[in-house]
């Protein structure tokens, strides 16, 4: 039955199917229902073609910056999202919230592609990615306005429905205390698995960089995150 609904061969691999099994606590019936809905969503929204979007590849270095070109100590991809530099309010008020949500799907797919690439090139059993969310410059006006909150809800919902259990950690750094207000709104949409992976640090770099370096080699982190990596050309081709 699974073979009849997948769109790509990798979606039949154990590591991919196990994400959904874990999300539904190994309940096969509920897993198949979730998996079927995810495959239908991918088909309707042409997710298998999303990495061809050249606009989104440009967004990663300017409008909504991220980096995803390094690995942690186990070989898993590291995704760093500069949340504080995302002007969520501006694009939302322009009526393009759905476009920003699709950009998030693009990021999930990019990381998913990196996991496949690393598995194939190394033979290692890599199944997840490591996410850092840099909250420096996060503010209520641009990120927690009433018009912005639906975007963050959609971001969480898409992860839970279509990319469940894919992250090892969600490490928040440089986090202002008032972010807790948005987090409380988002928690009801998070699974138990996601809630256990939330690690939130404030502005003490000596504290959060210690955690990051425990999981990521210093040569794979820029100095602003406690590492020794030199900056490369920002125009990096995504998988």
């Amino acid at each position: 039955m699974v073979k009849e609904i997948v769109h790509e061969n990798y979606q039949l691999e154990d590591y991919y199917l196990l994400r959904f099994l874990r999300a539904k606590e190994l309940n096969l019936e509920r897993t198949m229902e979730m998996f079927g809905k995810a495959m239908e969503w991918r088909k309707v929204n042409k997710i298998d073609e999303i990495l061809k979007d050249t606009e989104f590849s440009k967004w990663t270095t300017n409008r909504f910056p991220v980096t995803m070109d390094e690995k942690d100590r186990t070989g898993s991809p590291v995704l760093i999202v500069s949340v504080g530099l995302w002007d969520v309010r501006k694009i939302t008020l322009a009526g393009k919230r759905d476009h920003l949500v699709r950009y998030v799907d693009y990021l999930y797919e990019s990381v998913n592609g990196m996991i496949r690439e690393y598995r194939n090139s190394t033979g290692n059993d890599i199944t997840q990615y490591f996410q850092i969310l840099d909250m420096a410059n996060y503010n209520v006006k641009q990120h927690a306005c009433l018009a912005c909150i639906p975007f963050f809800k959609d971001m969480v919902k898409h992860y839970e429905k279509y990319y469940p259990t894919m992250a090892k950690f969600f490490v928040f750094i440089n986090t202002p205390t008032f972010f807790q207000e948005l987090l409380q709104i988002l928690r009801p949409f998070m699974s138990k698995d996601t809630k256990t992976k939330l690690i939130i640090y404030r502005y003490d770099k000596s504290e959060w960089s210690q955690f990051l370096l425990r999981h990521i080699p210093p040569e794979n982190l820029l100095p602003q995150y406690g590492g020794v990596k030199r900056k490369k050309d920002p125009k990096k081709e995504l998988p």
Side-chain angles (χ1 to χ4, degrees), residues 59-183:
W59 280 17
T60 63
T61 58
N62 49 52
R63 295 189 68 184
F64 303 96
V66 302
T67 59
M68 58 178 91
D69 59 346
E70 293 295 354
K71 306 174 186 177
D72 69 8
R73 293 185 183 277
T74 66
S76 297
V78 176
L79 171 63
I80 303 176
V81 182
S82 301
V83 179
L85 300 181
W86 286 31
D87 195 338
V88 178
R89 182 177 186 273
K90 182 176 181 179
I91 194 168
T92 299
L93 294 182
K96 296 183 178 181
R97 187 189 89 206
D98 290 345
H99 203 48
L100 185 57
V101 173
R102 188 166 175 82
Y103 172 64
V104 172
D105 295 332
Y106 171 89
L107 297 180
Y108 289 145
E109 280 299 304
S110 297
V111 172
N112 197 37
M114 292 176 74
I115 291 173
R116 294 199 307 276
E117 178 187 334
Y118 294 166
R119 286 177 63 87
N120 294 335
S121 62
T122 66
N124 295 334
D125 188 24
I126 298 165
T127 62
Q128 295 176 304
Y129 75 101
F130 189 112
Q131 184 159 343
I132 301 170
L133 299 102
D134 188 350
M135 305 299 289
N137 300 306
Y138 172 90
N139 62 83
V140 173
K141 180 179 180 180
Q142 287 181 302
H143 304 99
C145 64
L146 289 177
C148 303
I149 292 173
F151 159 71
F152 288 104
K153 286 182 179 179
D154 287 342
M155 181 176 68
V156 173
K157 289 177 182 178
H158 278 221
Y159 172 82
E160 299 292 1
K161 290 180 180 179
Y162 312 126
Y163 304 92
T165 73
M166 190 167 72
K168 287 183 177 181
F169 299 107
F170 295 98
V171 185
F172 293 78
I173 62 174
N174 299 316
T175 311
T177 54
F178 52 82
F179 171 68
Q180 291 292 340
E181 297 175 7
L182 176 59
L183 189 59

Side-chain angles (χ1 to χ4, degrees), residues 162-205:
Y162 312 126
Y163 304 92
T165 73
M166 190 167 72
K168 287 183 177 181
F169 299 107
F170 295 98
V171 185
F172 293 78
I173 62 174
N174 299 316
T175 311
T177 54
F178 52 82
F179 171 68
Q180 291 292 340
E181 297 175 7
L182 176 59
L183 189 59
Q184 287 303 111
I185 294 173
L186 300 179
R187 281 185 183 275
F189 303 98
M190 297 178 183
S191 65
K192 291 181 182 179
D193 178 80
T194 295
K195 291 175 184 176
T196 63
K197 295 173 178 177
L198 297 176
I199 301 174
I200 301 174
Y201 290 104
R202 294 207 64 208
Y203 300 102
D204 189 344
K205 183 178 178 179

Side-chain angles (χ1 to χ4, degrees), residues 49-60:
E49 301 174 18
I50 199 170
L51 294 183
K52 299 175 183 178
D53 194 317
T54 56
E55 179 187 14
F56 287 156
S57 66
K58 294 176 183 177
W59 280 17
T60 63

